[in-house]
PDB file of all heavy atoms in Angstrom:
ATOM      1  N   TRP B  48     -36.580  32.561  12.244  1.00  0.00           N
ATOM      2  CA  TRP B  48     -37.854  31.919  11.899  1.00  0.00           C
ATOM      3  C   TRP B  48     -38.213  32.114  10.436  1.00  0.00           C
ATOM      4  O   TRP B  48     -38.736  31.223   9.790  1.00  0.00           O
ATOM      5  CB  TRP B  48     -38.979  32.443  12.804  1.00  0.00           C
ATOM      6  CG  TRP B  48     -38.947  31.822  14.164  1.00  0.00           C
ATOM      7  CD1 TRP B  48     -38.695  32.441  15.358  1.00  0.00           C
ATOM      8  CD2 TRP B  48     -39.180  30.444  14.489  1.00  0.00           C
ATOM      9  NE1 TRP B  48     -38.737  31.536  16.385  1.00  0.00           N
ATOM     10  CE2 TRP B  48     -39.035  30.308  15.883  1.00  0.00           C
ATOM     11  CE3 TRP B  48     -39.475  29.305  13.729  1.00  0.00           C
ATOM     12  CZ2 TRP B  48     -39.191  29.080  16.539  1.00  0.00           C
ATOM     13  CZ3 TRP B  48     -39.628  28.084  14.373  1.00  0.00           C
ATOM     14  CH2 TRP B  48     -39.489  27.985  15.759  1.00  0.00           C
ATOM     15  N   LEU B  60     -47.577  31.192  12.573  1.00  0.00           N
ATOM     16  CA  LEU B  60     -46.859  30.772  13.781  1.00  0.00           C
ATOM     17  C   LEU B  60     -46.229  31.936  14.543  1.00  0.00           C
ATOM     18  O   LEU B  60     -46.245  31.970  15.770  1.00  0.00           O
ATOM     19  CB  LEU B  60     -45.757  29.776  13.413  1.00  0.00           C
ATOM     20  CG  LEU B  60     -46.202  28.339  13.113  1.00  0.00           C
ATOM     21  CD1 LEU B  60     -45.094  27.580  12.387  1.00  0.00           C
ATOM     22  CD2 LEU B  60     -46.584  27.590  14.391  1.00  0.00           C
ATOM     23  N   CYS B  84     -46.042  20.292  15.535  1.00  0.00           N
ATOM     24  CA  CYS B  84     -45.820  21.719  15.301  1.00  0.00           C
ATOM     25  C   CYS B  84     -44.944  21.898  14.059  1.00  0.00           C
ATOM     26  O   CYS B  84     -43.888  21.285  13.948  1.00  0.00           O
ATOM     27  CB  CYS B  84     -45.135  22.319  16.520  1.00  0.00           C
ATOM     28  SG  CYS B  84     -44.657  24.038  16.301  1.00  0.00           S
ATOM     29  N   ALA B  85     -45.376  22.751  13.138  1.00  0.00           N
ATOM     30  CA  ALA B  85     -44.600  23.007  11.922  1.00  0.00           C
ATOM     31  C   ALA B  85     -43.352  23.832  12.234  1.00  0.00           C
ATOM     32  O   ALA B  85     -42.434  23.899  11.439  1.00  0.00           O
ATOM     33  CB  ALA B  85     -45.452  23.734  10.886  1.00  0.00           C
ATOM     34  N   GLY B  86     -43.312  24.428  13.426  1.00  0.00           N
ATOM     35  CA  GLY B  86     -42.147  25.217  13.801  1.00  0.00           C
ATOM     36  C   GLY B  86     -41.040  24.395  14.426  1.00  0.00           C
ATOM     37  O   GLY B  86     -39.864  24.605  14.136  1.00  0.00           O
ATOM     38  N   CYS B  87     -41.398  23.432  15.285  1.00  0.00           N
ATOM     39  CA  CYS B  87     -40.354  22.719  16.037  1.00  0.00           C
ATOM     40  C   CYS B  87     -40.550  21.211  16.050  1.00  0.00           C
ATOM     41  O   CYS B  87     -39.760  20.507  16.675  1.00  0.00           O
ATOM     42  CB  CYS B  87     -40.281  23.254  17.461  1.00  0.00           C
ATOM     43  SG  CYS B  87     -41.661  22.714  18.507  1.00  0.00           S
ATOM     44  N   ASP B  88     -41.596  20.710  15.419  1.00  0.00           N
ATOM     45  CA  ASP B  88     -41.848  19.263  15.302  1.00  0.00           C
ATOM     46  C   ASP B  88     -42.299  18.597  16.604  1.00  0.00           C
ATOM     47  O   ASP B  88     -42.318  17.374  16.704  1.00  0.00           O
ATOM     48  CB  ASP B  88     -40.611  18.541  14.747  1.00  0.00           C
ATOM     49  CG  ASP B  88     -40.987  17.273  14.002  1.00  0.00           C
ATOM     50  OD1 ASP B  88     -42.020  17.278  13.311  1.00  0.00           O
ATOM     51  OD2 ASP B  88     -40.266  16.276  14.130  1.00  0.00           O
ATOM     52  N   LEU B  89     -42.659  19.369  17.601  1.00  0.00           N
ATOM     53  CA  LEU B  89     -43.207  18.766  18.821  1.00  0.00           C
ATOM     54  C   LEU B  89     -44.580  18.148  18.496  1.00  0.00           C
ATOM     55  O   LEU B  89     -45.396  18.777  17.825  1.00  0.00           O
ATOM     56  CB  LEU B  89     -43.364  19.839  19.912  1.00  0.00           C
ATOM     57  CG  LEU B  89     -43.899  19.362  21.268  1.00  0.00           C
ATOM     58  CD1 LEU B  89     -42.872  18.447  21.960  1.00  0.00           C
ATOM     59  CD2 LEU B  89     -44.209  20.554  22.169  1.00  0.00           C
ATOM     60  N   LEU B  91     -48.269  17.439  18.846  1.00  0.00           N
ATOM     61  CA  LEU B  91     -49.276  18.276  19.507  1.00  0.00           C
ATOM     62  C   LEU B  91     -50.636  17.604  19.659  1.00  0.00           C
ATOM     63  O   LEU B  91     -51.281  17.723  20.699  1.00  0.00           O
ATOM     64  CB  LEU B  91     -49.470  19.576  18.715  1.00  0.00           C
ATOM     65  CG  LEU B  91     -48.243  20.468  18.515  1.00  0.00           C
ATOM     66  CD1 LEU B  91     -48.606  21.645  17.623  1.00  0.00           C
ATOM     67  CD2 LEU B  91     -47.705  20.948  19.854  1.00  0.00           C
ATOM     68  N   CYS B 132     -47.632  26.575  20.848  1.00  0.00           N
ATOM     69  CA  CYS B 132     -46.770  25.415  21.101  1.00  0.00           C
ATOM     70  C   CYS B 132     -45.975  25.624  22.378  1.00  0.00           C
ATOM     71  O   CYS B 132     -45.402  26.686  22.590  1.00  0.00           O
ATOM     72  CB  CYS B 132     -45.829  25.230  19.911  1.00  0.00           C
ATOM     73  SG  CYS B 132     -44.574  23.980  20.161  1.00  0.00           S
ATOM     74  N   ARG B 133     -45.950  24.602  23.210  1.00  0.00           N
ATOM     75  CA  ARG B 133     -45.214  24.699  24.473  1.00  0.00           C
ATOM     76  C   ARG B 133     -43.719  24.891  24.229  1.00  0.00           C
ATOM     77  O   ARG B 133     -43.042  25.606  24.941  1.00  0.00           O
ATOM     78  CB  ARG B 133     -45.464  23.407  25.282  1.00  0.00           C
ATOM     79  CG  ARG B 133     -45.015  23.454  26.720  1.00  0.00           C
ATOM     80  CD  ARG B 133     -43.692  22.755  26.952  1.00  0.00           C
ATOM     81  NE  ARG B 133     -43.691  21.392  26.466  1.00  0.00           N
ATOM     82  CZ  ARG B 133     -42.578  20.725  26.187  1.00  0.00           C
ATOM     83  NH1 ARG B 133     -41.408  21.307  26.322  1.00  0.00           N
ATOM     84  NH2 ARG B 133     -42.637  19.479  25.739  1.00  0.00           N
ATOM     85  N   ARG B 134     -43.188  24.270  23.180  1.00  0.00           N
ATOM     86  CA  ARG B 134     -41.729  24.294  22.991  1.00  0.00           C
ATOM     87  C   ARG B 134     -41.218  25.537  22.260  1.00  0.00           C
ATOM     88  O   ARG B 134     -40.227  26.111  22.647  1.00  0.00           O
ATOM     89  CB  ARG B 134     -41.269  23.041  22.240  1.00  0.00           C
ATOM     90  CG  ARG B 134     -39.760  22.959  22.100  1.00  0.00           C
ATOM     91  CD  ARG B 134     -39.258  21.555  21.933  1.00  0.00           C
ATOM     92  NE  ARG B 134     -39.615  20.982  20.644  1.00  0.00           N
ATOM     93  CZ  ARG B 134     -39.326  19.711  20.312  1.00  0.00           C
ATOM     94  NH1 ARG B 134     -38.709  18.925  21.161  1.00  0.00           N
ATOM     95  NH2 ARG B 134     -39.701  19.245  19.133  1.00  0.00           N
ATOM     96  N   CYS B 135     -41.896  25.960  21.178  1.00  0.00           N
ATOM     97  CA  CYS B 135     -41.360  27.095  20.403  1.00  0.00           C
ATOM     98  C   CYS B 135     -42.242  28.333  20.516  1.00  0.00           C
ATOM     99  O   CYS B 135     -41.919  29.359  19.941  1.00  0.00           O
ATOM    100  CB  CYS B 135     -41.183  26.701  18.938  1.00  0.00           C
ATOM    101  SG  CYS B 135     -42.722  26.580  18.005  1.00  0.00           S
ATOM    102  N   ALA B 136     -43.371  28.220  21.247  1.00  0.00           N
ATOM    103  CA  ALA B 136     -44.296  29.333  21.450  1.00  0.00           C
ATOM    104  C   ALA B 136     -44.988  29.747  20.162  1.00  0.00           C
ATOM    105  O   ALA B 136     -45.644  30.779  20.112  1.00  0.00           O
ATOM    106  CB  ALA B 136     -43.604  30.531  22.100  1.00  0.00           C
ATOM    107  N   GLY B 137     -44.861  28.969  19.106  1.00  0.00           N
ATOM    108  CA  GLY B 137     -45.526  29.301  17.848  1.00  0.00           C
ATOM    109  C   GLY B 137     -47.041  29.298  18.004  1.00  0.00           C
ATOM    110  O   GLY B 137     -47.618  28.413  18.628  1.00  0.00           O
TER     111      GLY B 137
HETATM  112 ZN1   ZN S 201     -43.407  24.314  18.213  1.00  0.00          ZN
END
Side-chain angles (χ1 to χ4, degrees):
W48 282 114
L60 283 164
C84 174
C87 74
D88 208 38
L89 181 68
L91 301 176
C132 173
R133 192 259 306 159
R134 184 155 70 184
C135 74

